[in-house]
Amino acid sequence: MNTSVLIVGAGPTGLVLALQLKTYGIPFRIIEKHSGPGKASRALVVHARILEFYRQLGIADEVVSLGIPLKSVHLREGLKEKAEFKFSDLGKDISPYPFALSLPQDVHEEFLVDQLNQSGIGVEWNTELISFSEHEKGVRVIIKKGGQEEAVNVDYLCGCDGAHSTVRHGLNFDFPGGTYDQLFYVADLESTEDEVMDRSLKAHFNDQGFCLFMPVRTTGMIRLIGIIPRELEQRSDITFEEIQPYAEQQTGLTIKKVNWFSTYHVHHRVSEHFRKGRCFIAGDAGHIHSPAGGQGMNTGIGDAVNLSWKLAAVLHHKADSSVLDTYETERIAFARTLVSTTDRAFQTIVGRNARNRLIRNVLIPYAAPLLLGFAAARRVLFNTLSQTRIEYRDSELSTGIAGKIRGGDRLPWVQMENGNNFDVLKSMDWQLHIYGRIQDRIREFVGTEGFSAHSFPWHHSMDDAGLKNNSLYLIRPDGYVAYADEEQNVEKLKHFIEKFNLSPFKSAK
């Protein structure tokens, strides 16, 4: 089989990229230097925007069934409850998934690997990237498996190979950023307390920093994260038995059994580029973040979704190659913003100076509940955590405005009496949405150009979502608005499509 794309790395980013390419009928190989999926839970939270992408792939329901939808977040000053925020209140009318899903990364990866196996293409385990070089028509790659080297010629190389990415090093990209001073610990454990399985996240703040826990497996295990006490942080051989008294005092838990424990430093970095010629990087290869908000893995999966349809469009001759330029501009802008915002939030949570202690001990437990009493503030919080706020308004692939929706915005989810506007996104193809009455000239355009069109009778929920009556929106394969127009102007629509030589995938599948 001809290989169009070689994916290096079989974590969530690489696996989702592979599943997306398989859906588009793109020949690929995916290699991983390890012998199988990871065995530790590591990244834990799957946010609403990723579940929306999984909905397009037809796997969202299965993914949700494997995890624990978290119903709320509790803020506590020491052991004293200060506030509870319910995800159902935060995400109401924003997404079909108004929750954060607790799903251990090992379970997540095993599921994605199984999905890939069912498609007839498996991960090539124990296979390592040795070197690569780009030429005019592709990339020549040397890989190694079982002591034997193999030369592979591919159209594109995608490095999803983590923070120590061989692909990023081979491209000589700088990886600027830093490392937080504090030493952190993470543990998966069992407790005698009933509250650990109430499907909530508990965050405890005090003068020493923070400690949080949440259910992590349906078998009753919980994840505990905190800061190593100062008197122990210079040690390299810390055991959980030494941490346990501090953790129990901070959380009020009685810990029965520890199944996994590790200490780590937190880094924050963004690569100077995400692309060079026919080579791309995604996920931790391009950006690593503080754990604030559980954004890192979700951002990597977002990279994979963004890159996959653009590669598929170019390889199927359904778009000009300039579409690939938008991968870096769209995703690196968000990665830089995310690192900056999570860095500030994380410093507030873990910082030891007087200002951070004031914010942690006064503003968070006392001011946050008051602020989040307003619906607008709750929406901002959910949009930020869930990644439904991500937009590409500055992209070359984005233009126009209709109502409050601009080119580059995520298509807002609209629930109507007889359905919603997200079900049609399962085609993972370009499509026209008209909210209100479709004009005859648009019907004629659809008939001649091959784009599918979906006309939704006007409903008050559309106005609430920011859409405008009788307006037209061209939706990208990943569910973002590329073009918005209040007038349903066919000539302007054609001009935008011709700029990138866009055409639908359906004839290529």
Side-chain angles (χ1 to χ4, degrees), residues 13 26 54 83 94 197 239 291 336 404 424:
T13 300
I26 300 298
Y54 284 175
I94 296 176
M197 287 308 293
T239 65
R336 287 170 175 162
K404 296 179 182 178
V424 293

Side-chain angles (χ1 to χ4, degrees), residues 52 55 96 410-413 420-426:
E52 291 173 1
R55 179 190 178 103
R410 161 188 168 270
L411 177 69
W413 176 64
N420 64 81
N421 64 335
F422 269 27
D423 285 343
V424 293
L425 299 182
K426 292 178 181 179

Side-chain angles (χ1 to χ4, degrees), residues 15 21 28 39 42 77 84 105 148 167 186 244 264 292 322 327 344 348 370 381 418 434 437 501 505:
L15 291 168
L21 292 178
F28 67 89
K39 299 300 181 183
R42 292 172 290 164
E77 182 185 18
E84 178 186 7
Q105 186 171 333
Q148 299 295 316
V167 176
V186 58
Q244 184 170 342
Y264 63 100
S322 61
Y327 167 69
R344 289 195 297 270
T348 298
L370 294 175
L381 178 60
N418 58 347
I434 298 90
R437 184 178 61 85
N501 294 318
F505 281 108

Side-chain angles (χ1 to χ4, degrees), residues 325-342:
D325 296 335
T326 66
Y327 167 69
E328 175 174 298
T329 56
E330 291 179 357
R331 296 306 296 178
I332 203 169
F334 173 67
R336 287 170 175 162
T337 299
L338 181 62
V339 164
S340 175
T341 55
T342 57

Side-chain angles (χ1 to χ4, degrees), residues 216-231:
V216 67
R217 297 182 192 274
T218 54
T219 55
M221 199 176 302
I222 64 172
R223 164 66 60 86
L224 181 69
I225 300 174
I227 301 175
I228 296 291
R230 283 186 175 183
E231 56 267 33

